Amino acid sequence: MPNTFINLSGKSVSCISNFYNIETKNILIVHDDLNLSPGKIKIRYGISHGGHNGIKSIINNMKFKSNFYRLSIGIGRPKYKKDVISFVLNKPTLEEKKLILKSINDAIYITNLWIKNDFDSIKSYFNS
């Protein structure tokens, strides 16, 4: 169980990956995403950190390898950039919370498909 802050999560991911000899292509990172509306999820492979400090930490600790899967859970974005930190750390509204909880359940479903290497079902899920 990692005991690092999210912005330093690369240390934990790197340690686990090295200890179990896990290739980055076999890693799925689930994280919040300011660029997606609450209730939306997206799966991607091998892209940049997009400003997410936790993902940036993982890329840096994995020797600049970004070839891992990311399952992003939308949390929305505040109106002003200066409000991002308090927005992320504060509780969502009741409506946002309902949408986020639904997307977490969807993320669990997608994660199970990913573990089974059922990429066709994942594609179908996102295309439906």
Side-chain angles (χ1 to χ4, degrees), residues 7-15 18 24 47-49 51-68:
N7 289 351
L8 302 174
S9 55
K11 291 179 181 180
S12 298
V13 173
S14 179
C15 286
N18 290 334
T24 54
I47 63 168
S48 73
H49 55 76
H52 192 287
N53 289 327
I55 300 298
K56 190 183 303 183
S57 172
I58 293 168
I59 292 170
N60 289 339
N61 280 274
M62 300 298 285
K63 299 182 178 92
F64 300 97
K65 294 180 183 176
S66 62
N67 55 337
F68 53 87

Side-chain angles (χ1 to χ4, degrees), residues 19-127:
F19 183 82
Y20 290 105
N21 198 26
I22 301 169
E23 296 179 51
T24 54
K25 69 178 183 175
N26 294 320
I27 295 174
L28 174 68
I29 303 296
V30 181
H31 65 92
D32 61 343
D33 194 324
L34 289 164
N35 295 316
L36 293 175
S37 301
K40 302 291 182 190
I41 62 174
K42 184 182 273 190
I43 192 165
R44 294 172 279 188
Y45 178 79
I47 63 168
S48 73
H49 55 76
H52 192 287
N53 289 327
I55 300 298
K56 190 183 303 183
S57 172
I58 293 168
I59 292 170
N60 289 339
N61 280 274
M62 300 298 285
K63 299 182 178 92
F64 300 97
K65 294 180 183 176
S66 62
N67 55 337
F68 53 87
Y69 285 90
R70 294 172 49 182
L71 184 54
S72 306
I73 297 176
I75 61 169
R77 177 177 287 284
K79 187 173 183 177
Y80 302 106
K81 187 176 181 176
K82 66 178 180 67
D83 297 330
V84 167
I85 293 172
S86 62
F87 178 81
V88 170
L89 296 177
N90 284 318
K91 291 182 179 182
T93 66
L94 184 58
E95 185 58 33
E96 290 170 336
K97 185 175 180 177
K98 288 178 187 176
L99 293 169
I100 292 167
L101 288 174
K102 181 200 174 301
S103 63
I104 289 171
N105 286 326
D106 291 343
I108 292 167
Y109 175 75
I110 295 297
T111 300
N112 285 322
L113 292 175
W114 185 84
I115 289 168
K116 296 174 186 173
N117 290 315
D118 190 354
F119 297 106
D120 289 335
S121 293
I122 292 172
K123 288 178 189 173
S124 295
Y125 174 85
F126 282 103
N127 291 329

